[in-house]
């Protein structure tokens, strides 16, 4: 038994075409087909939120480094 992972193209009539490695012998083979539904929509993630109050700076407050830390930049 061998596992070969490949991508197939399915046309409008439902026919799938695939290319197998050259070392697969010609003739009849038992094949298992697994179809991954890639178009399946996932539920959106929901994150909890916590109200921590207003931002510590009021609108219009200077946020430059020099304004926050003084002239020496520390």
């Amino acid at each position: 038994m061998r596992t070969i992972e490949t991508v197939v193209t399915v046309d409008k009539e439902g026919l799938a075409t695939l290319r197998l490695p050259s070392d697969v012998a010609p003739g009849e083979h038992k094949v298992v087909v697994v179809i991954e539904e890639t178009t399946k929509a996932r539920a959106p993630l929901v994150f909890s939120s916590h109200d921590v109050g207003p931002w510590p700076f009021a609108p219009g407050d200077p946020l430059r480094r020099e304004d926050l830390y003084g002239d020496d930049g520390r």
Side-chain angles (χ1 to χ4, degrees):
M1 183 182 289
R2 221 174 129 175
T3 301
I4 299 172
E5 186 173 337
T6 186
V7 177
V8 299
T9 303
V10 180
D11 64 11
K12 295 177 211 173
E13 288 80 33
L15 296 175
T17 305
L18 65 111
R19 182 169 301 278
L20 296 175
S22 59
D23 61 341
V24 176
E28 289 188 9
H29 296 276
K30 183 176 180 180
V31 178
V32 176
V33 177
V34 177
I35 298 178
E36 291 183 18
E37 295 291 338
T38 57
T39 59
K40 187 182 216 181
R42 295 184 179 180
L45 296 176
V46 178
F47 296 100
S48 61
S49 62
H50 300 285
D51 184 13
V52 294
W55 179 250
F57 299 105
D61 279 353
L63 297 177
R64 295 184 355 202
R65 180 178 185 88
E66 294 81 12
D67 296 332
L68 294 173
Y69 298 104
D71 293 333
D72 60 353
R74 293 187 177 182

